[in-house]
Amino acid sequence: GAVKCIRSIRSWAYQYFGDIGVVKFVAMATPEDLKANAEYIRMADHFERVPGGSNNNNYANVSLIVELAQRNECDAVWAGCAHASENP
């Protein structure tokens, strides 16, 4: 999932630009993810706290994703597997 995505994009950035930092990662983090010390959160350059519980509150909430992306001036969004990618 997210860890593989971050690793792959950083590898690509290093290969083409010689710098893994040319792409910055902003992650969404639920209370459950933070409690579990999820690796993708540790790998991200920044994270935004989002509500826990059902995916409709966070990872499948397209309005929330767009709001966070705009707030963080993101140029792209990875929708994940089986979350917002199923609810474009």
Side-chain angles (χ1 to χ4, degrees), residues 4 6 17 24 32 34 38-42 44 57 71-72 80:
K4 184 176 181 179
I6 293 170
F17 302 105
K24 302 295 183 196
E32 296 86 357
L34 291 166
E39 185 176 5
Y40 79 93
I41 298 170
R42 294 190 317 269
N57 295 332
R71 182 184 320 157
N72 287 279

Side-chain angles (χ1 to χ4, degrees), residues 9-39:
I9 292 173
R10 285 190 172 148
S11 175
W12 169 83
Y14 182 76
Q15 185 177 23
Y16 285 94
F17 302 105
D19 181 3
I20 65 169
V22 297
V23 177
K24 302 295 183 196
F25 292 89
V26 177
M28 295 172 60
T30 66
E32 296 86 357
D33 297 328
L34 291 166
K35 183 176 180 180
N37 195 27
E39 185 176 5

Side-chain angles (χ1 to χ4, degrees), residues 49-88:
R49 295 175 189 269
V50 296
S54 164
N55 279 351
N56 292 332
N57 295 332
N58 43 60
Y59 301 115
N61 185 333
V62 175
S63 296
L64 175 61
I65 294 168
V66 170
E67 176 189 328
L68 296 176
Q70 289 174 334
R71 182 184 320 157
N72 287 279
E73 299 179 354
C74 296
D75 294 313
V77 172
W78 179 66
C81 300
H83 296 294
S85 61
E86 294 182 356
N87 184 24

